[in-house]
Amino acid sequence: MVVRHISTGSPFEKQIGYSRAVVADGWVFVAGTTGYDYATMVMPDNVVDQCRNALATIGKALEEAGSSLDHVVRVNYIVPNADDWPDCWPVTSAAFAKALPAATMISAALQTPEMKIEIEVTARIPA
């Protein structure tokens, strides 16, 4: 089995020891991704902007892997405050309008208090 690792260049990847995405056997596994703008390392204050940033980062990793948001089959959303989750629905429903992946929302603490959402996906690479 050939495995390929994809990095966004985030300092967290090296510090913690993970890849943004791993490609194996036609699958792309994207790590939990928070709302940082990795070009500036700035975290927006609100959950909707964080959600947009996370999905943009995920989308770039999927494209590098030869896939896209349209090929996501599973998505996990983690939010510290469940009351924030409905604000993200317009963003997530637009991002996954074609894929309609199986999805789970979990309410749990994230690594730092400024993080308001973390998104993890699994996608297929189209034939």
Short mmCIF file of all heavy atoms in Angstrom, two decimals, residues 30-69:
data_model
loop_
_atom_site.label_atom_id
_atom_site.label_comp_id
_atom_site.label_asym_id
_atom_site.label_seq_id
_atom_site.Cartn_x
_atom_site.Cartn_y
_atom_site.Cartn_z
N VAL A 30 -8.68 13.35 6.27
CA VAL A 30 -8.24 14.70 6.63
C VAL A 30 -8.38 14.87 8.13
O VAL A 30 -9.45 14.64 8.71
CB VAL A 30 -9.04 15.79 5.89
CG1 VAL A 30 -8.52 17.18 6.26
CG2 VAL A 30 -8.95 15.59 4.37
N ALA A 31 -7.27 15.30 8.75
CA ALA A 31 -7.23 15.49 10.20
C ALA A 31 -8.22 16.57 10.64
O ALA A 31 -8.62 17.43 9.85
CB ALA A 31 -5.82 15.90 10.62
N GLY A 32 -8.56 16.53 11.91
CA GLY A 32 -9.37 17.59 12.48
C GLY A 32 -8.72 18.93 12.17
O GLY A 32 -7.53 19.12 12.42
N THR A 33 -9.52 19.84 11.60
CA THR A 33 -9.00 21.11 11.10
C THR A 33 -9.77 22.24 11.74
O THR A 33 -11.00 22.26 11.69
CB THR A 33 -9.15 21.16 9.56
OG1 THR A 33 -8.46 20.04 9.00
CG2 THR A 33 -8.59 22.43 8.99
N THR A 34 -9.05 23.17 12.35
CA THR A 34 -9.69 24.31 12.99
C THR A 34 -9.67 25.51 12.05
O THR A 34 -9.20 25.42 10.92
CB THR A 34 -9.01 24.65 14.33
OG1 THR A 34 -7.64 24.97 14.10
CG2 THR A 34 -9.13 23.48 15.31
N GLY A 35 -10.15 26.63 12.53
CA GLY A 35 -10.41 27.79 11.69
C GLY A 35 -9.29 28.76 11.46
O GLY A 35 -9.53 29.88 11.02
N TYR A 36 -8.05 28.37 11.74
CA TYR A 36 -6.94 29.28 11.46
C TYR A 36 -6.86 29.61 9.98
O TYR A 36 -7.11 28.76 9.13
CB TYR A 36 -5.60 28.66 11.87
CG TYR A 36 -5.28 28.75 13.33
CD1 TYR A 36 -5.41 27.64 14.13
CD2 TYR A 36 -4.84 29.94 13.89
CE1 TYR A 36 -5.12 27.70 15.49
CE2 TYR A 36 -4.55 30.02 15.24
CZ TYR A 36 -4.70 28.89 16.03
OH TYR A 36 -4.41 28.96 17.36
N ASP A 37 -6.46 30.83 9.70
CA ASP A 37 -5.99 31.19 8.37
C ASP A 37 -4.51 30.88 8.42
O ASP A 37 -3.74 31.59 9.07
CB ASP A 37 -6.24 32.68 8.12
CG ASP A 37 -5.65 33.16 6.81
OD1 ASP A 37 -4.72 32.51 6.28
OD2 ASP A 37 -6.11 34.21 6.33
N TYR A 38 -4.08 29.78 7.79
CA TYR A 38 -2.71 29.31 7.95
C TYR A 38 -1.69 30.23 7.28
O TYR A 38 -0.51 30.15 7.60
CB TYR A 38 -2.57 27.86 7.49
CG TYR A 38 -3.20 26.93 8.49
CD1 TYR A 38 -4.40 26.30 8.23
CD2 TYR A 38 -2.61 26.72 9.73
CE1 TYR A 38 -4.99 25.46 9.17
CE2 TYR A 38 -3.20 25.90 10.68
CZ TYR A 38 -4.38 25.27 10.39
OH TYR A 38 -4.97 24.46 11.31
N ALA A 39 -2.12 31.11 6.39
CA ALA A 39 -1.20 32.07 5.79
C ALA A 39 -0.78 33.13 6.81
O ALA A 39 0.35 33.59 6.81
CB ALA A 39 -1.84 32.74 4.57
N THR A 40 -1.70 33.49 7.70
CA THR A 40 -1.43 34.55 8.69
C THR A 40 -1.37 34.02 10.12
O THR A 40 -0.97 34.75 11.02
CB THR A 40 -2.53 35.62 8.63
OG1 THR A 40 -3.79 35.02 8.98
CG2 THR A 40 -2.61 36.25 7.24
N MET A 41 -1.81 32.77 10.32
CA MET A 41 -1.94 32.16 11.66
C MET A 41 -2.86 32.98 12.56
O MET A 41 -2.67 33.07 13.76
CB MET A 41 -0.58 31.93 12.31
CG MET A 41 0.18 30.76 11.69
SD MET A 41 -0.77 29.22 11.56
CE MET A 41 -0.99 28.77 13.27
N VAL A 42 -3.88 33.57 11.94
CA VAL A 42 -4.89 34.33 12.68
C VAL A 42 -6.15 33.46 12.78
O VAL A 42 -6.56 32.82 11.81
CB VAL A 42 -5.21 35.66 11.97
CG1 VAL A 42 -6.41 36.35 12.59
CG2 VAL A 42 -3.99 36.58 12.00
N MET A 43 -6.74 33.46 13.98
CA MET A 43 -7.99 32.74 14.21
C MET A 43 -9.12 33.77 14.29
O MET A 43 -9.09 34.64 15.16
CB MET A 43 -7.91 31.97 15.53
CG MET A 43 -9.19 31.25 15.91
SD MET A 43 -9.55 29.83 14.88
CE MET A 43 -8.47 28.63 15.61
N PRO A 44 -10.10 33.71 13.40
CA PRO A 44 -11.23 34.63 13.49
C PRO A 44 -11.95 34.48 14.83
O PRO A 44 -11.89 33.41 15.46
CB PRO A 44 -12.15 34.22 12.35
CG PRO A 44 -11.32 33.39 11.44
CD PRO A 44 -10.25 32.77 12.29
N ASP A 45 -12.66 35.52 15.23
CA ASP A 45 -13.38 35.49 16.51
C ASP A 45 -14.67 34.68 16.46
O ASP A 45 -15.09 34.13 17.46
CB ASP A 45 -13.72 36.91 16.97
CG ASP A 45 -12.49 37.69 17.39
OD1 ASP A 45 -11.51 37.07 17.85
OD2 ASP A 45 -12.53 38.93 17.27
N ASN A 46 -15.31 34.60 15.28
CA ASN A 46 -16.63 33.95 15.28
C ASN A 46 -16.60 32.58 14.62
O ASN A 46 -15.76 32.28 13.77
CB ASN A 46 -17.70 34.87 14.67
CG ASN A 46 -17.60 34.98 13.18
OD1 ASN A 46 -17.84 34.00 12.47
ND2 ASN A 46 -17.26 36.16 12.68
N VAL A 47 -17.53 31.76 15.03
CA VAL A 47 -17.57 30.36 14.61
C VAL A 47 -17.82 30.21 13.12
O VAL A 47 -17.29 29.29 12.49
CB VAL A 47 -18.60 29.56 15.45
CG1 VAL A 47 -20.03 29.98 15.12
CG2 VAL A 47 -18.42 28.06 15.27
N VAL A 48 -18.61 31.09 12.52
CA VAL A 48 -18.92 30.96 11.09
C VAL A 48 -17.66 31.18 10.25
O VAL A 48 -17.38 30.42 9.32
CB VAL A 48 -20.06 31.92 10.69
CG1 VAL A 48 -20.29 31.90 9.19
CG2 VAL A 48 -21.35 31.54 11.42
N ASP A 49 -16.89 32.20 10.57
CA ASP A 49 -15.64 32.44 9.84
C ASP A 49 -14.64 31.31 10.08
O ASP A 49 -13.91 30.92 9.18
CB ASP A 49 -15.03 33.78 10.23
CG ASP A 49 -15.82 34.96 9.69
OD1 ASP A 49 -16.58 34.78 8.71
OD2 ASP A 49 -15.68 36.07 10.24
N GLN A 50 -14.62 30.79 11.30
CA GLN A 50 -13.75 29.65 11.58
C GLN A 50 -14.18 28.44 10.76
O GLN A 50 -13.34 27.70 10.23
CB GLN A 50 -13.74 29.32 13.07
CG GLN A 50 -12.99 30.32 13.90
CD GLN A 50 -12.83 29.89 15.34
OE1 GLN A 50 -12.83 28.69 15.65
NE2 GLN A 50 -12.69 30.85 16.25
N CYS A 51 -15.46 28.22 10.63
CA CYS A 51 -15.99 27.11 9.85
C CYS A 51 -15.58 27.27 8.38
O CYS A 51 -15.10 26.31 7.76
CB CYS A 51 -17.51 27.07 10.00
SG CYS A 51 -18.32 25.69 9.16
N ARG A 52 -15.73 28.47 7.85
CA ARG A 52 -15.33 28.74 6.45
C ARG A 52 -13.85 28.46 6.25
O ARG A 52 -13.44 27.84 5.26
CB ARG A 52 -15.63 30.19 6.08
CG ARG A 52 -17.05 30.45 5.74
CD ARG A 52 -17.23 31.84 5.11
NE ARG A 52 -18.64 32.15 5.04
CZ ARG A 52 -19.29 32.95 5.87
NH1 ARG A 52 -18.65 33.57 6.84
NH2 ARG A 52 -20.58 33.15 5.72
N ASN A 53 -13.01 28.95 7.17
CA ASN A 53 -11.57 28.73 7.06
C ASN A 53 -11.22 27.25 7.12
O ASN A 53 -10.39 26.77 6.34
CB ASN A 53 -10.81 29.46 8.17
CG ASN A 53 -10.66 30.94 7.91
OD1 ASN A 53 -11.09 31.46 6.89
ND2 ASN A 53 -10.06 31.63 8.85
N ALA A 54 -11.84 26.54 8.05
CA ALA A 54 -11.57 25.10 8.18
C ALA A 54 -11.93 24.37 6.89
O ALA A 54 -11.15 23.54 6.40
CB ALA A 54 -12.31 24.52 9.37
N LEU A 55 -13.08 24.67 6.33
CA LEU A 55 -13.51 24.01 5.10
C LEU A 55 -12.61 24.39 3.93
O LEU A 55 -12.34 23.55 3.05
CB LEU A 55 -14.97 24.32 4.80
CG LEU A 55 -15.95 23.63 5.74
CD1 LEU A 55 -17.36 24.20 5.56
CD2 LEU A 55 -15.94 22.12 5.54
N ALA A 56 -12.11 25.62 3.89
CA ALA A 56 -11.18 26.03 2.83
C ALA A 56 -9.88 25.25 2.94
O ALA A 56 -9.34 24.77 1.93
CB ALA A 56 -10.93 27.53 2.90
N THR A 57 -9.37 25.09 4.16
CA THR A 57 -8.14 24.33 4.37
C THR A 57 -8.36 22.87 3.98
O THR A 57 -7.51 22.26 3.31
CB THR A 57 -7.70 24.43 5.85
OG1 THR A 57 -7.44 25.80 6.16
CG2 THR A 57 -6.46 23.60 6.12
N ILE A 58 -9.48 22.31 4.37
CA ILE A 58 -9.82 20.93 4.02
C ILE A 58 -9.94 20.79 2.51
O ILE A 58 -9.41 19.84 1.91
CB ILE A 58 -11.11 20.48 4.73
CG1 ILE A 58 -10.85 20.34 6.24
CG2 ILE A 58 -11.66 19.20 4.13
CD1 ILE A 58 -12.10 20.25 7.08
N GLY A 59 -10.61 21.74 1.88
CA GLY A 59 -10.78 21.70 0.43
C GLY A 59 -9.44 21.70 -0.30
O GLY A 59 -9.24 20.94 -1.26
N LYS A 60 -8.50 22.51 0.16
CA LYS A 60 -7.17 22.56 -0.47
C LYS A 60 -6.44 21.22 -0.29
O LYS A 60 -5.80 20.74 -1.23
CB LYS A 60 -6.34 23.70 0.14
CG LYS A 60 -6.79 25.06 -0.30
CD LYS A 60 -5.97 26.16 0.39
CE LYS A 60 -6.58 27.51 0.12
NZ LYS A 60 -5.96 28.57 0.92
N ALA A 61 -6.53 20.64 0.89
CA ALA A 61 -5.88 19.35 1.13
C ALA A 61 -6.49 18.27 0.24
O ALA A 61 -5.78 17.44 -0.33
CB ALA A 61 -5.98 18.95 2.60
N LEU A 62 -7.80 18.29 0.11
CA LEU A 62 -8.47 17.30 -0.74
C LEU A 62 -8.06 17.47 -2.20
O LEU A 62 -7.82 16.49 -2.91
CB LEU A 62 -9.99 17.41 -0.60
CG LEU A 62 -10.57 16.92 0.73
CD1 LEU A 62 -12.04 17.29 0.84
CD2 LEU A 62 -10.36 15.43 0.90
N GLU A 63 -7.98 18.71 -2.67
CA GLU A 63 -7.56 18.95 -4.04
C GLU A 63 -6.14 18.43 -4.28
O GLU A 63 -5.87 17.81 -5.30
CB GLU A 63 -7.65 20.44 -4.37
CG GLU A 63 -9.07 20.92 -4.57
CD GLU A 63 -9.17 22.41 -4.84
OE1 GLU A 63 -8.17 23.02 -5.28
OE2 GLU A 63 -10.27 22.96 -4.62
N GLU A 64 -5.25 18.69 -3.33
CA GLU A 64 -3.89 18.19 -3.46
C GLU A 64 -3.86 16.66 -3.53
O GLU A 64 -3.01 16.07 -4.18
CB GLU A 64 -3.02 18.69 -2.30
CG GLU A 64 -1.56 18.37 -2.47
CD GLU A 64 -0.67 19.00 -1.43
OE1 GLU A 64 -1.04 20.03 -0.83
OE2 GLU A 64 0.42 18.45 -1.21
N ALA A 65 -4.83 16.03 -2.87
CA ALA A 65 -4.92 14.57 -2.87
C ALA A 65 -5.60 14.02 -4.11
O ALA A 65 -5.62 12.81 -4.32
CB ALA A 65 -5.68 14.12 -1.62
N GLY A 66 -6.19 14.90 -4.94
CA GLY A 66 -6.91 14.45 -6.12
C GLY A 66 -8.39 14.24 -5.89
O GLY A 66 -9.06 13.55 -6.66
N SER A 67 -8.92 14.85 -4.83
CA SER A 67 -10.33 14.72 -4.48
C SER A 67 -10.91 16.12 -4.32
O SER A 67 -10.35 17.10 -4.79
CB SER A 67 -10.47 13.90 -3.19
OG SER A 67 -11.81 13.59 -2.94
N SER A 68 -12.05 16.21 -3.65
CA SER A 68 -12.68 17.51 -3.41
C SER A 68 -13.75 17.35 -2.32
O SER A 68 -14.07 16.23 -1.91
CB SER A 68 -13.33 18.06 -4.68
OG SER A 68 -14.51 17.34 -4.99
N LEU A 69 -14.31 18.47 -1.92
CA LEU A 69 -15.42 18.43 -0.95
C LEU A 69 -16.60 17.63 -1.51
O LEU A 69 -17.36 17.04 -0.75
CB LEU A 69 -15.86 19.84 -0.57
CG LEU A 69 -14.88 20.67 0.24
CD1 LEU A 69 -15.38 22.11 0.39
CD2 LEU A 69 -14.62 20.05 1.61
#
